[in-house]
Amino acid sequence: EEEEDEEEELKAPEQEVQLDVDAITEDEKQAIPEFFEGRPSKTPERYLKIRNYILDQWVRSKPRYLNKTSVRPGLKNCGDVNCIGRIHTYLELIGAINFNCGNAGPREPPITAVFTCPTKHKPLVSLCVVSEQAIYHRPRIVDKSRLKEGRDAVEAYQLAQRLQSMRTRKRRVRDTWGNWCDAKDLEGQTFEHLSAEELARRREEHRRRVPRPSKVPRQGKDSLDPFQLIPCKSFGEDKQEPFRVVVSAAAMVVMDMHAHVSMAEVIGLLGGGYAEGDKVLKICAAEPCNSLSTGLQCEMDPVSQTQASEALAGRGYSVVGWYHSHPAFDPNPSVRDIDTQAKFQSYFSRGGAQFIGIIVSPYNPSNAAPQSQVTCLAVSEESSAGGPRRLPFKFEMHPSPEEPDWPQVLRKARWVIDKYRLSHGSVPMDRLFHRDSDLTCLEKMLASMRSSLDFLQEDAVTGFLAQVETLFLSWFVAESRSGYTEGGDAASPGECPSGSEEM
């Protein structure tokens, strides 16, 4: 007896979706993965160009239906017609284009087709191709007479079904104990990174309290928890620093400020240059980036990464490193951090360049001092004795004597405030940062920033920190306290009168 093949009914979106033209969502990356797999001909930038062009054409054509054929002439040399069609289908399915176009436009005579499963020899998908209807409005009628003409349509319909299933299926991840849970339950949380011994002890306690599931995937003998911290080794007589790291005060201040505003990990790029003859890697600027954070990990948004790289290049710098925060735990790299650093080093070493990573820890409970803990590291070619993991080594950071470009740093302060003042997980800057301190988080941040500027003239440093304090009190603390809601009339920090240029 044959089983019935169940087909999921495609549902029309309930409301029109507005996408940020400068950002790519995680759903898009899962729906159209071919542009995010490192292919030279299909890049995130090319996807963004195709998607934004289709969105622009929809704005111009609404309420008339925007079909795939009409957008292809403007997308020459941007990709094959199939990938453009898949992006069009995805945008239509989520309601970004052709919203409420179910009955719009003239109709062509319907083309019907039936598609047979090769193993069961029974109807698999039947549909009616109507050129001016959104895919979720097209009826499906069985007719074996026009198989060839309906092939493109059935591929589009199958893609739509897959995308809808992806949208409605809850994303499951593992928590710190290895149990499956909803990813949304972990968003915005800061996870405590532990030593191997402490992690093993806590897991054993948890195992005694909670019955172990009957089926749990076992880790291999050599596998490590990706969030376990690995202490950095120090350079010495046996292994000397391969180069000297010099960091500007401007870069340190921007990284420190960025790390203080969020209890979720933040991320950014470092710009500068490498002097081969002197063996000196100089960090001149830090460029904050948007992150794709699930609470468990922090990854750089590819569009923001490209924009940051271009911004650094526009100032005459090469990308020589990356930074991220460990908001409330030690600034040692996790297993995942080491893997990321190794990939970066491998990529940039092809041109003979050097590449380092910096970790900033502003609110480590074990550190009652106002100064943030900072680690600068690279990974060696040698592996650890217990497995294939490469070893992290810590560099000493030497301050650069140049005075910062104060207006440029203030522009970064405005960007940080505007980005995080109302975001989930933003730090309440008017609260005490530590139980053994009487400093607020804002005062603690200013004190930490001052420690990177102590070699400069006092008047210049005091004036700069006063401007930063005013910006945060006016646009970060005040709005967080007042519960500013979307749609209000409040200005952004970039609109406040300070005499400095905009971002």
Side-chain angles (χ1 to χ4, degrees):
E1 184 178 347
E2 295 182 345
E3 298 179 356
E4 293 292 332
D5 284 331
E6 296 183 1
E7 294 180 2
E8 184 179 6
E9 186 74 19
L10 294 187
K11 300 176 182 178
E14 297 179 355
Q15 61 183 6
E16 187 168 11
V17 171
Q18 299 292 331
L19 295 176
D20 185 348
V21 296
D22 296 322
I24 301 173
T25 66
E26 276 299 304
D27 282 350
E28 290 176 273
K29 294 177 184 179
Q30 295 181 45
I32 316 290
E34 60 207 84
F35 287 89
F36 309 99
E37 297 173 339
R39 304 184 190 183
S41 61
K42 291 186 177 180
T43 63
E45 293 76 20
R46 179 161 290 185
Y47 170 81
L48 202 63
K49 181 178 180 181
I50 297 172
R51 187 202 70 180
N52 287 348
Y53 179 80
I54 296 174
L55 293 175
D56 180 67
Q57 292 302 303
W58 162 239
V59 172
R60 296 171 185 269
S61 69
K62 68 166 58 174
R64 292 183 297 106
Y65 183 86
L66 178 70
N67 60 33
K68 298 175 183 178
T69 305
S70 64
V71 301
R72 290 173 186 165
L75 292 172
K76 293 181 178 179
N77 301 321
C78 285
D80 59 83
V81 295
N82 293 323
C83 75
I84 293 173
R86 284 190 289 273
I87 296 174
H88 180 282
T89 298
Y90 171 74
L91 295 175
E92 187 174 88
L93 182 68
I94 67 173
I97 64 172
N98 294 333
F99 182 71
N100 278 341
C101 282
N103 299 314
R107 300 285 186 268
E108 294 180 2
I111 301 173
T112 57
V114 62
F115 299 87
T116 304
C117 176
T119 58
K120 295 184 177 181
H121 303 288
K122 57 180 292 187
L124 179 63
V125 177
S126 57
L127 55 96
C128 175
V129 182
V130 184
S131 64
E132 299 294 332
Q133 279 186 302
I135 192 163
Y136 40 76
H137 284 308
R138 299 176 191 173
R140 289 168 287 164
I141 303 174
V142 177
D143 185 351
K144 298 183 179 181
S145 61
R146 302 293 293 275
L147 175 63
K148 184 176 181 180
E149 291 87 341
R151 185 162 295 152
D152 291 340
V154 75
E155 289 178 357
Y157 192 87
Q158 290 171 336
L159 172 65
Q161 283 193 310
R162 181 175 66 84
L163 296 182
Q164 177 161 293
S165 298
M166 181 191 73
R167 290 170 56 216
T168 56
R169 186 171 59 246
K170 289 186 177 180
R171 182 165 168 260
R172 307 282 286 175
V173 298
R174 291 187 183 276
D175 62 15
T176 51
W177 304 111
N179 299 319
W180 289 105
C181 64
D182 192 338
K184 287 189 174 293
D185 294 338
L186 303 178
E187 288 184 356
Q189 296 183 22
T190 298
F191 284 80
E192 185 179 5
H193 292 241
L194 308 171
S195 66
E197 294 78 8
E198 180 67 12
L199 190 64
R201 185 183 68 79
R202 292 198 183 184
R203 279 182 170 166
E204 181 60 29
E205 292 177 354
H206 182 76
R207 195 175 294 114
R208 291 171 182 171
R209 292 195 304 266
V210 181
R212 189 176 182 87
S214 57
K215 293 184 179 180
V216 176
R218 294 183 179 179
Q219 289 187 320
K221 292 182 179 180
D222 296 331
S223 65
L224 294 174
D225 188 305
F227 309 112
Q228 178 185 330
L229 295 185
I230 307 297
C232 291
K233 291 185 172 294
S234 299
F235 290 104
E237 294 183 359
D238 295 337
K239 185 177 181 64
Q240 297 183 347
E241 286 187 344
F243 50 88
R244 192 166 181 259
V245 177
V246 177
V247 185
S248 72
M252 279 302 307
V253 163
V254 172
M255 286 188 287
D256 205 9
M257 181 178 5
H258 193 191
H260 272 85
V261 298
S262 177
M263 290 309 293
E265 294 187 9
V266 301
I267 199 166
L269 291 180
L270 300 172
Y274 179 65
E276 177 65 38
D278 299 328
K279 299 292 183 184
V280 172
L281 180 68
K282 188 171 183 180
I283 309 298
C284 301
E287 194 70 31
C289 294
N290 293 323
S291 61
L292 304 173
S293 178
T294 65
L296 281 171
Q297 62 186 39
C298 179
E299 297 179 357
M300 208 174 300
D301 177 81
V303 176
S304 181
Q305 179 178 344
T306 299
Q307 294 171 340
S309 301
E310 292 174 349
L312 291 172
R315 296 170 61 187
Y317 302 135
S318 300
V319 176
V320 294
W322 69 302
Y323 73 90
H324 73 289
S325 67
H326 283 184
F329 41 91
D330 293 332
N332 288 323
S334 65
V335 172
R336 189 184 297 276
D337 294 337
I338 293 173
D339 290 341
T340 300
Q341 178 65 27
K343 291 174 183 177
F344 272 132
Q345 284 182 206
S346 175
Y347 177 80
F348 283 92
S349 65
R350 298 171 187 173
Q354 303 295 342
F355 195 92
I356 55 93
I358 291 180
I359 303 174
V360 183
S361 177
Y363 301 116
N364 189 349
S366 64
N367 177 32
Q371 291 77 22
S372 299
Q373 297 172 313
V374 183
T375 297
C376 176
L377 65 102
V379 296
S380 69
E381 294 298 329
E382 60 187 284
S383 300
S384 61
R389 298 287 174 185
R390 295 169 65 175
L391 297 174
F393 278 81
K394 181 178 181 178
F395 283 84
E396 181 181 355
M397 292 186 292
H398 304 272
S400 174
E402 290 92 352
E403 183 171 355
D405 181 347
W406 302 116
Q408 177 70 24
V409 178
L410 286 173
R411 285 195 290 273
K412 301 303 173 192
R414 287 196 183 96
W415 185 92
V416 167
I417 293 171
D418 199 38
K419 170 72 177 176
Y420 293 96
R421 57 184 174 151
L422 299 173
S423 68
H424 181 72
S426 63
V427 173
M429 301 298 285
D430 56 343
R431 296 186 184 177
L432 296 180
F433 90 93
H434 196 277
R435 62 178 178 271
D436 296 328
S437 174
D438 58 356
L439 296 178
T440 65
C441 292
L442 176 57
E443 292 168 338
K444 184 261 187 224
M445 182 188 78
L446 295 172
S448 184
M449 292 166 63
R450 181 181 286 276
S451 67
S452 300
L453 304 170
D454 56 7
F455 63 92
L456 299 171
Q457 291 186 357
E458 180 65 23
D459 291 345
V461 173
T462 301
F464 163 72
L465 293 178
Q467 291 184 70
V468 173
E469 182 178 24
T470 300
L471 283 171
F472 270 83
L473 288 174
S474 301
W475 305 105
F476 197 101
V477 175
E479 293 199 6
S480 298
R481 192 182 296 159
S482 63
Y484 175 84
T485 56
E486 190 174 356
D489 296 325
S492 69
E495 298 169 336
C496 63
S498 67
S500 298
E501 297 176 36
E502 297 291 316
M503 270 288 285

